[in-house]
Amino acid sequence: MSEYTLSEIRATNKRDTRKMDALLEKEGIQRDKNLDYSVGLFDEDYNLVATGSCFKNTLRCMAVDSGHQGEGLLNQVVSHLMEHQYERGNIELFLYTKCDSAKFFNDLGFYEIARVDGKVVFMENRRTGFQDYLNDLKKTSVPGEKIAAVVMNANPFTLGHQYLLEKTASENDVVHVFVVSEDVSLVPFDVRFQLVKAGSAHLKNLVYHPTGSYIISNATFPSYFLKDEDLVIRSHAKLDINVFKKIAASLGVNRRYVGEEPFSQVTGIYNQVMKEELDACGVECVIVPRKTDGTTAISASKVRKAIQEDRLSEIQDVVPASTYEFFLSEEAKPVIQAIKNAEEVIHY
């Protein structure tokens, strides 16, 4: 039996990173750009025989050299990654895997949330985690004939977001507003949630929800085992919508409103797939034309760009007063600094 050494692979260690890339590529995987911790199992000659990584509370980029499969090495890697996650306070863990690997992870204590057949399975380490989330949502259900849902990141909340909620509220009895919980945006979740509620406080038929880890974002969806970019977007959309269908059923949602996306190719394809999938299951998908500032569509990306370039006064005409007041406050200083320090604030 060979002796293996488990070691962290740091991004600054170019030699080990190259070995990880080579092993992943050999096993048909491309290293994900979103990783914050990686490990490798090395043999006595310092050959990399297995690897795995984390990003936030997800496990990803796991592979074993084909010449060493059957030795239980991936089990060692996954067990270490789970222990590392627990040490940094992440108790609820998620992973995405190929469909033919789902049984292996089920044997390690992960349970299926949703899948896109032949492409990807979304799993978590709690047997009843998603069902508990759905049960909590049911407690917030409100009776009505027309029950709508809106999912938004609101990074930050603009007059465009406000217009979408106003239109949705005017056309439905109840609107469930889901704000993406993942803190991968330049404006933190607690701030975004606060600004959404403040900017829509005049609408009395809204129910607000954090998405938790179940409605996923581009930042956390793994692209490492789907090579074609268009396929990545479509698989992400289908997986996300398969999760949303279960959320909609728990709340009696029969309509989902989304803003038209003239700027982002990713969101444009996502909306197209969403409409196809939801229409097919009896949930009406309403795509709302974007509110303009008189010439072009209002965009959170443009708001972030103005903040980054010290043109704060220019955002006053495209965000609610509550959003503008926040960015003038002391509380906003670290958020503004994060935006100024960001390499890219425009999302395509």
Short mmCIF file of all heavy atoms in Angstrom, two decimals, residues 9 13-32 42 46-51 61-66 227:
data_model
loop_
_atom_site.label_atom_id
_atom_site.label_comp_id
_atom_site.label_asym_id
_atom_site.label_seq_id
_atom_site.Cartn_x
_atom_site.Cartn_y
_atom_site.Cartn_z
N ILE A 9 -2.57 23.11 -1.25
CA ILE A 9 -2.01 23.66 -2.49
C ILE A 9 -2.37 25.14 -2.53
O ILE A 9 -3.54 25.49 -2.73
CB ILE A 9 -2.54 22.93 -3.73
CG1 ILE A 9 -2.16 21.45 -3.68
CG2 ILE A 9 -2.02 23.59 -5.01
CD1 ILE A 9 -2.73 20.63 -4.83
N ASN A 13 1.83 28.76 -4.96
CA ASN A 13 2.75 27.66 -5.26
C ASN A 13 2.50 27.20 -6.70
O ASN A 13 1.65 26.36 -6.98
CB ASN A 13 2.52 26.51 -4.28
CG ASN A 13 3.55 25.40 -4.43
OD1 ASN A 13 4.03 25.12 -5.53
ND2 ASN A 13 3.88 24.74 -3.33
N LYS A 14 3.25 27.79 -7.61
CA LYS A 14 3.02 27.56 -9.04
C LYS A 14 3.26 26.10 -9.44
O LYS A 14 2.55 25.56 -10.29
CB LYS A 14 3.90 28.49 -9.88
CG LYS A 14 3.67 29.98 -9.60
CD LYS A 14 2.22 30.37 -9.80
CE LYS A 14 2.00 31.86 -9.56
NZ LYS A 14 0.56 32.22 -9.61
N ARG A 15 4.26 25.47 -8.81
CA ARG A 15 4.57 24.09 -9.18
C ARG A 15 3.39 23.17 -8.85
O ARG A 15 2.93 22.40 -9.70
CB ARG A 15 5.83 23.61 -8.43
CG ARG A 15 6.21 22.16 -8.74
CD ARG A 15 7.39 21.69 -7.92
NE ARG A 15 7.09 21.73 -6.49
CZ ARG A 15 7.85 21.19 -5.54
NH1 ARG A 15 8.99 20.60 -5.88
NH2 ARG A 15 7.51 21.26 -4.27
N ASP A 16 2.88 23.26 -7.61
CA ASP A 16 1.79 22.38 -7.21
C ASP A 16 0.49 22.75 -7.95
O ASP A 16 -0.32 21.87 -8.26
CB ASP A 16 1.57 22.47 -5.70
CG ASP A 16 2.67 21.76 -4.92
OD1 ASP A 16 3.55 21.16 -5.56
OD2 ASP A 16 2.64 21.81 -3.67
N THR A 17 0.31 24.04 -8.23
CA THR A 17 -0.87 24.46 -8.98
C THR A 17 -0.85 23.86 -10.38
O THR A 17 -1.89 23.42 -10.89
CB THR A 17 -0.95 25.99 -9.04
OG1 THR A 17 -1.03 26.52 -7.72
CG2 THR A 17 -2.17 26.45 -9.82
N ARG A 18 0.33 23.83 -10.99
CA ARG A 18 0.45 23.22 -12.33
C ARG A 18 0.12 21.73 -12.25
O ARG A 18 -0.54 21.19 -13.15
CB ARG A 18 1.85 23.43 -12.90
CG ARG A 18 2.09 24.84 -13.44
CD ARG A 18 3.35 24.89 -14.30
NE ARG A 18 4.55 24.64 -13.51
CZ ARG A 18 5.27 25.57 -12.90
NH1 ARG A 18 4.91 26.84 -13.01
NH2 ARG A 18 6.35 25.26 -12.21
N LYS A 19 0.57 21.07 -11.18
CA LYS A 19 0.25 19.64 -11.02
C LYS A 19 -1.25 19.43 -10.86
O LYS A 19 -1.82 18.49 -11.42
CB LYS A 19 1.00 19.07 -9.80
CG LYS A 19 2.51 18.95 -9.99
CD LYS A 19 3.15 18.29 -8.77
CE LYS A 19 4.65 18.12 -8.99
NZ LYS A 19 5.32 17.42 -7.87
N MET A 20 -1.89 20.32 -10.08
CA MET A 20 -3.33 20.20 -9.90
C MET A 20 -4.05 20.41 -11.23
O MET A 20 -4.97 19.65 -11.58
CB MET A 20 -3.80 21.23 -8.87
CG MET A 20 -5.30 21.23 -8.62
SD MET A 20 -5.83 22.22 -7.19
CE MET A 20 -5.33 23.86 -7.74
N ASP A 21 -3.64 21.42 -11.99
CA ASP A 21 -4.26 21.68 -13.29
C ASP A 21 -4.11 20.48 -14.21
O ASP A 21 -5.04 20.09 -14.93
CB ASP A 21 -3.65 22.92 -13.94
CG ASP A 21 -4.09 24.21 -13.27
OD1 ASP A 21 -5.07 24.18 -12.51
OD2 ASP A 21 -3.44 25.25 -13.51
N ALA A 22 -2.91 19.88 -14.20
CA ALA A 22 -2.64 18.73 -15.08
C ALA A 22 -3.51 17.54 -14.70
O ALA A 22 -4.05 16.85 -15.57
CB ALA A 22 -1.16 18.37 -15.01
N LEU A 23 -3.65 17.29 -13.37
CA LEU A 23 -4.47 16.16 -12.94
C LEU A 23 -5.94 16.40 -13.28
O LEU A 23 -6.62 15.50 -13.79
CB LEU A 23 -4.32 15.95 -11.42
CG LEU A 23 -5.25 14.90 -10.79
CD1 LEU A 23 -5.09 13.55 -11.47
CD2 LEU A 23 -5.00 14.79 -9.29
N LEU A 24 -6.42 17.60 -13.02
CA LEU A 24 -7.82 17.91 -13.34
C LEU A 24 -8.08 17.76 -14.83
O LEU A 24 -9.08 17.16 -15.25
CB LEU A 24 -8.17 19.33 -12.88
CG LEU A 24 -8.23 19.55 -11.36
CD1 LEU A 24 -8.38 21.04 -11.05
CD2 LEU A 24 -9.38 18.77 -10.74
N GLU A 25 -7.17 18.29 -15.64
CA GLU A 25 -7.33 18.20 -17.09
C GLU A 25 -7.32 16.75 -17.56
O GLU A 25 -8.12 16.36 -18.43
CB GLU A 25 -6.22 18.99 -17.79
CG GLU A 25 -6.39 19.05 -19.29
CD GLU A 25 -5.34 19.92 -19.97
OE1 GLU A 25 -4.57 20.59 -19.26
OE2 GLU A 25 -5.30 19.92 -21.21
N LYS A 26 -6.45 15.96 -16.97
CA LYS A 26 -6.37 14.54 -17.32
C LYS A 26 -7.70 13.83 -17.05
O LYS A 26 -8.09 12.92 -17.79
CB LYS A 26 -5.24 13.87 -16.52
CG LYS A 26 -5.05 12.38 -16.81
CD LYS A 26 -3.93 11.81 -15.96
CE LYS A 26 -3.79 10.30 -16.19
NZ LYS A 26 -2.75 9.72 -15.31
N GLU A 27 -8.38 14.27 -16.00
CA GLU A 27 -9.65 13.65 -15.63
C GLU A 27 -10.86 14.40 -16.20
O GLU A 27 -11.99 14.20 -15.77
CB GLU A 27 -9.76 13.56 -14.10
CG GLU A 27 -8.65 12.74 -13.44
CD GLU A 27 -8.50 11.34 -14.04
OE1 GLU A 27 -9.55 10.72 -14.31
OE2 GLU A 27 -7.35 10.90 -14.25
N GLY A 28 -10.59 15.30 -17.17
CA GLY A 28 -11.67 15.97 -17.87
C GLY A 28 -12.29 17.13 -17.11
O GLY A 28 -13.46 17.47 -17.32
N ILE A 29 -11.51 17.76 -16.24
CA ILE A 29 -12.00 18.87 -15.42
C ILE A 29 -11.09 20.07 -15.59
O ILE A 29 -9.87 19.93 -15.71
CB ILE A 29 -12.04 18.47 -13.92
CG1 ILE A 29 -12.99 17.28 -13.71
CG2 ILE A 29 -12.46 19.63 -13.03
CD1 ILE A 29 -12.94 16.68 -12.32
N GLN A 30 -11.68 21.25 -15.61
CA GLN A 30 -10.91 22.49 -15.68
C GLN A 30 -10.99 23.19 -14.33
O GLN A 30 -12.07 23.27 -13.73
CB GLN A 30 -11.49 23.41 -16.77
CG GLN A 30 -10.74 24.71 -16.94
CD GLN A 30 -11.31 25.54 -18.08
OE1 GLN A 30 -12.09 25.04 -18.88
NE2 GLN A 30 -10.94 26.80 -18.13
N ARG A 31 -9.88 23.69 -13.82
CA ARG A 31 -9.88 24.32 -12.49
C ARG A 31 -10.82 25.52 -12.48
O ARG A 31 -10.76 26.39 -13.33
CB ARG A 31 -8.46 24.75 -12.09
CG ARG A 31 -8.43 25.49 -10.75
CD ARG A 31 -7.04 25.44 -10.14
NE ARG A 31 -6.02 25.96 -11.04
CZ ARG A 31 -5.53 27.19 -10.99
NH1 ARG A 31 -5.99 28.06 -10.11
NH2 ARG A 31 -4.59 27.57 -11.83
N ASP A 32 -11.70 25.55 -11.49
CA ASP A 32 -12.66 26.64 -11.36
C ASP A 32 -11.94 27.91 -10.94
O ASP A 32 -11.00 27.87 -10.14
CB ASP A 32 -13.71 26.26 -10.31
CG ASP A 32 -14.97 27.10 -10.40
OD1 ASP A 32 -14.87 28.31 -10.20
OD2 ASP A 32 -16.03 26.53 -10.68
N PHE A 42 -0.20 13.53 -2.29
CA PHE A 42 1.03 13.29 -3.05
C PHE A 42 1.62 11.94 -2.66
O PHE A 42 1.59 11.57 -1.48
CB PHE A 42 2.05 14.39 -2.76
CG PHE A 42 1.61 15.77 -3.20
CD1 PHE A 42 0.84 16.58 -2.37
CD2 PHE A 42 1.97 16.26 -4.46
CE1 PHE A 42 0.44 17.85 -2.77
CE2 PHE A 42 1.57 17.52 -4.86
CZ PHE A 42 0.80 18.32 -4.02
N TYR A 46 6.33 12.57 -4.89
CA TYR A 46 5.69 13.88 -4.97
C TYR A 46 4.89 14.05 -6.26
O TYR A 46 4.77 15.13 -6.81
CB TYR A 46 6.70 15.02 -4.81
CG TYR A 46 6.07 16.27 -4.23
CD1 TYR A 46 5.61 16.29 -2.92
CD2 TYR A 46 5.91 17.41 -5.00
CE1 TYR A 46 5.01 17.41 -2.38
CE2 TYR A 46 5.31 18.55 -4.47
CZ TYR A 46 4.86 18.53 -3.17
OH TYR A 46 4.27 19.65 -2.65
N ASN A 47 4.32 12.93 -6.70
CA ASN A 47 3.35 13.01 -7.78
C ASN A 47 1.98 13.26 -7.17
O ASN A 47 1.62 12.65 -6.15
CB ASN A 47 3.32 11.70 -8.59
CG ASN A 47 4.64 11.43 -9.26
OD1 ASN A 47 5.18 12.28 -9.97
ND2 ASN A 47 5.19 10.24 -9.03
N LEU A 48 1.19 14.13 -7.77
CA LEU A 48 -0.15 14.42 -7.27
C LEU A 48 -1.10 13.33 -7.77
O LEU A 48 -1.24 13.12 -8.97
CB LEU A 48 -0.61 15.79 -7.77
CG LEU A 48 -1.99 16.25 -7.28
CD1 LEU A 48 -2.01 16.45 -5.78
CD2 LEU A 48 -2.40 17.55 -7.99
N VAL A 49 -1.77 12.65 -6.82
CA VAL A 49 -2.64 11.54 -7.20
C VAL A 49 -4.12 11.84 -6.93
O VAL A 49 -5.00 11.13 -7.44
CB VAL A 49 -2.23 10.24 -6.48
CG1 VAL A 49 -0.83 9.81 -6.94
CG2 VAL A 49 -2.28 10.39 -4.96
N ALA A 50 -4.41 12.87 -6.13
CA ALA A 50 -5.81 13.24 -5.87
C ALA A 50 -5.85 14.69 -5.41
O ALA A 50 -4.89 15.20 -4.81
CB ALA A 50 -6.44 12.33 -4.82
N THR A 51 -6.94 15.36 -5.69
CA THR A 51 -7.06 16.76 -5.30
C THR A 51 -8.53 17.12 -5.07
O THR A 51 -9.43 16.43 -5.55
CB THR A 51 -6.44 17.69 -6.36
OG1 THR A 51 -6.43 19.04 -5.87
CG2 THR A 51 -7.23 17.65 -7.66
N CYS A 61 -14.01 20.78 -7.71
CA CYS A 61 -12.73 20.41 -8.37
C CYS A 61 -12.09 19.19 -7.71
O CYS A 61 -10.91 19.21 -7.38
CB CYS A 61 -11.76 21.59 -8.36
SG CYS A 61 -12.17 22.89 -9.52
N MET A 62 -12.86 18.13 -7.54
CA MET A 62 -12.34 16.91 -6.92
C MET A 62 -12.03 15.87 -7.99
O MET A 62 -12.84 15.62 -8.87
CB MET A 62 -13.36 16.37 -5.91
CG MET A 62 -13.55 17.30 -4.72
SD MET A 62 -14.97 16.89 -3.68
CE MET A 62 -16.32 17.51 -4.68
N ALA A 63 -10.83 15.29 -7.89
CA ALA A 63 -10.41 14.32 -8.90
C ALA A 63 -9.36 13.38 -8.33
O ALA A 63 -8.58 13.75 -7.45
CB ALA A 63 -9.85 15.03 -10.14
N VAL A 64 -9.33 12.15 -8.86
CA VAL A 64 -8.32 11.16 -8.52
C VAL A 64 -7.69 10.68 -9.82
O VAL A 64 -8.39 10.44 -10.81
CB VAL A 64 -8.94 9.96 -7.77
CG1 VAL A 64 -7.89 8.88 -7.52
CG2 VAL A 64 -9.55 10.41 -6.45
N ASP A 65 -6.38 10.56 -9.83
CA ASP A 65 -5.68 10.04 -10.99
C ASP A 65 -6.25 8.67 -11.35
O ASP A 65 -6.45 7.82 -10.48
CB ASP A 65 -4.18 9.92 -10.70
CG ASP A 65 -3.38 9.54 -11.93
OD1 ASP A 65 -3.47 8.37 -12.35
OD2 ASP A 65 -2.68 10.41 -12.46
N SER A 66 -6.55 8.46 -12.62
CA SER A 66 -7.19 7.22 -13.06
C SER A 66 -6.38 5.99 -12.68
O SER A 66 -6.93 4.90 -12.49
CB SER A 66 -7.43 7.25 -14.57
OG SER A 66 -6.22 7.53 -15.26
N LYS A 227 -17.54 22.25 -20.47
CA LYS A 227 -16.53 22.96 -21.24
C LYS A 227 -17.08 24.14 -22.05
O LYS A 227 -16.42 25.13 -22.26
CB LYS A 227 -15.82 21.99 -22.21
CG LYS A 227 -15.11 20.85 -21.50
CD LYS A 227 -14.07 21.35 -20.52
CE LYS A 227 -13.32 20.20 -19.87
NZ LYS A 227 -12.42 20.67 -18.81
#
